Amino acid sequence: MDDTHAPTAVTERLLATARRVMAPCYAPPAFIPKRGEGALLWDHDDRRYLDFTSGIGVNALGHAHPEVVAAITSQAQRLLHTANILYHEGHIAMCERLVDMSFGHQVFLCNSGTEAMEAAIKAARRYFYIQGDRRAGLVATHGSFHGRSLGALSITGQPTYREGYAPMLPETQLVPFGDVAAMRAAVDRSTAAVVLEPIQGNSGVHVAPLGYLAAVRALCDEVGCLLVFDEIQTGIGRTGRWFGHEHDSVTPDIMTVAKALGGGLPLGAMVATEPVGAALTLGSHGTTFGGNPVACAAGLKTLEIIERDRLLEAADQRGQQLRTEIDALRLTHPTIQEVRGRGLMIGIELACDAKAIRDRCREDGLLVISTKNVIRLLPPLIVSKAQVAEAVEILGRGIGGMA
Ligand SMILES: *Cc1c(COP(=O)(O)O)cnc(C)c1O
């Protein structure tokens, strides 16, 4: 495909306005999607794209799943918003569902991953505070991503995201991911919590080495600090299990979930064991929008469908297909250095920058994410066998063209 697709007048007009009025912190491509269905998106020229980004792992059921749309519509017609001064059924049901499907006993609902991380940091510190223990230290890892608020940023181990925002929270430390000795040297009795992603997503899909999560769990138990797993990207079926840490059979004290949790609407959760959750006593934390009825309805329907349609197994199978087919590409495409990940969270490390390949794939009808020299794939869990094969074909052309 060598035809270049000039944006239409509609797209041009939208882009010109965007450049004028939007804070310039994003650089989206010069196409603007108009509608989506399943793993597919169409732009204003009616060009079709296979969407292997899922809105950064949010759209587990793809775009515009009819049952999720129906759940949203029906909830919106009954009750849009109540705030935290009233309970509503969906909020309670979502907390119960998260407790039933995890190690957790208590849940705090919010609106995003970042807010879930703030809740986790606060719950960890407060858990010790109410025992009269003033430990406040946080240990996280290089290459991590936990969000953009100053709290979450203080444990995000990527300097570019912090530039210009100093000072960070005091008593935070970063150690190399996967390095048990470095973690041992960093944690002590001043540590309130160690924070880890089971698979680092944002920095290029780095899977925790075998035994690492268990070793960190043991270190946390030794010094009496809490272990927090950021499951914002790895959770809700992305890796072929409900939560990424299930692959390692290690349980944290706190887990954060967001992205796919709200079925496309903003919803985050902090899930904690009983003693930790109990530290968030009356009035100690809160949010106006968190646990919004419509977001809960969309999320509950999404969880129901993932279970009913056996999408954890599907994520595992389609993930294996993707891995096998990309591995086969390596024979003819030496640019590919490594393929890694779990389920439908896959990173392809290249010997070159990934941005140009991402752009070629888009021109050819496939949307992927690029991070430095890594192509990241986060297709919806409902992606078909044929769609995976089509995506690999496009990837092959995109990568081949760079040799
Ligand atoms: C996306 C992400 C976040 C931040 O979530 P937002 O909803 O963007 O605030 C935090 N941690 C991880 C692992 C993520 O992937």
Side-chain angles (χ1 to χ4, degrees):
M1 285 203 177
D2 52 11
D3 52 328
T4 51
H5 298 268
T8 57
V10 180
T11 302
E12 284 289 18
R13 214 168 41 243
L14 288 169
L15 288 171
T17 310
R19 277 190 289 270
R20 184 164 55 82
V21 300
M22 287 176 69
C25 53
Y26 300 121
F31 95 94
I32 296 178
K34 192 168 70 176
R35 72 187 172 89
E37 194 184 308
L40 300 175
L41 265 185
W42 285 267
D43 67 10
H44 285 265
D45 305 322
D46 285 321
R47 286 201 66 214
R48 168 190 175 277
Y49 299 84
L50 263 176
D51 183 0
F52 270 42
T53 70
S54 303
I56 322 188
V58 167
N59 306 312
L61 303 181
H63 295 281
H65 192 289
E67 289 173 85
V68 176
V69 174
I72 289 171
T73 309
S74 137
Q75 181 58 51
Q77 285 165 341
R78 282 177 286 138
L79 195 60
L80 268 184
H81 174 76
T82 60
N84 54 41
I85 47 173
L86 295 172
Y87 291 124
H88 69 84
E89 224 180 306
H91 192 138
I92 299 166
M94 177 53 85
C95 293
E96 185 179 33
R97 185 75 214 254
L98 283 167
V99 165
D100 287 347
M101 67 201 276
S102 76
F103 66 91
H105 300 114
Q106 295 189 321
V107 179
F108 175 81
L109 294 183
C110 52
N111 308 286
S112 68
T114 301
E115 285 177 48
M117 290 311 302
E118 292 299 318
I121 294 169
K122 288 178 73 177
R125 286 190 169 173
R126 212 174 141 81
Y127 167 75
F128 291 107
Y129 171 84
I130 59 172
Q131 299 174 52
D133 184 341
R134 294 304 151 92
R135 56 165 89 195
L138 301 169
V139 181
T141 57
H142 293 301
S144 64
F145 183 82
H146 299 298
R148 309 274 195 162
S149 64
L150 282 166
L153 205 52
S154 298
I155 48 170
T156 288
Q158 299 187 66
T160 48
Y161 294 130
R162 295 166 161 227
E163 199 183 327
Y165 298 118
M168 295 289 117
L169 280 186
E171 300 197 46
T172 50
Q173 274 186 86
L174 296 165
V175 297
F177 184 66
D179 184 338
V180 180
M183 186 62 80
R184 183 187 306 276
V187 297
D188 58 28
R189 298 203 173 270
S190 70
T191 309
V194 172
V195 185
L196 292 174
E197 294 156 86
I199 302 175
Q200 290 187 334
N202 179 286
S203 63
V205 192
H206 301 283
V207 183
L210 194 68
Y212 179 61
L213 299 185
V216 175
R217 172 78 271 180
L219 285 174
C220 290
D221 293 342
E222 235 173 85
V223 301
C225 77
L226 302 177
L227 178 59
V228 180
F229 284 154
D230 177 343
E231 291 268 9
I232 291 164
Q233 194 165 141
T234 46
I236 315 300
R238 176 57 50 196
T239 70
R241 305 274 180 93
W242 279 118
F243 301 108
H245 66 264
E246 292 172 26
H247 292 277
D248 297 79
S249 306
V250 176
T251 28
D253 303 287
I254 299 176
M255 152 175 97
T256 52
V257 191
K259 292 214 156 88
L261 180 66
L265 292 183
L267 187 64
M270 194 260 328
V271 181
T273 56
E274 198 281 324
V276 179
L280 293 181
T281 53
L282 182 64
S284 65
H285 196 49
T287 156
T288 301
F289 285 113
N292 170 273
V294 184
C296 287
L300 284 165
K301 183 53 77 178
T302 298
L303 298 178
E304 181 191 321
I305 294 171
I306 290 175
E307 185 166 298
R308 182 196 70 197
D309 296 351
R310 308 176 73 77
L311 294 180
L312 302 184
E313 290 93 323
D316 187 48
Q317 283 162 8
R318 294 286 77 78
Q320 281 181 30
Q321 181 194 350
L322 251 179
R323 292 283 292 269
T324 310
E325 293 185 10
I326 299 166
D327 264 331
L329 272 186
R330 292 177 69 177
L331 301 173
T332 44
H333 298 73
T335 326
I336 302 177
Q337 304 292 294
E338 192 184 20
V339 187
R340 50 183 186 246
R342 265 191 189 126
L344 288 173
M345 181 170 179
I346 290 174
I348 309 170
E349 186 170 319
L350 304 168
C352 59
D353 192 78
K355 209 174 278 163
I357 292 172
R358 175 202 66 189
D359 292 345
R360 288 171 58 91
C361 286
R362 188 178 63 244
E363 278 298 311
D364 207 358
L366 172 70
L367 305 181
V368 299
I369 304 174
S370 70
T371 300
K372 286 170 274 180
N373 62 333
V374 178
I375 292 280
R376 289 164 57 202
L377 306 177
L378 295 165
L381 311 188
I382 47 93
V383 72
S384 72
K385 199 170 172 180
Q387 286 168 334
V388 166
E390 186 186 342
V392 175
E393 208 178 293
I394 296 175
L395 273 169
R397 283 199 292 271
I399 295 169
M402 300 309 291

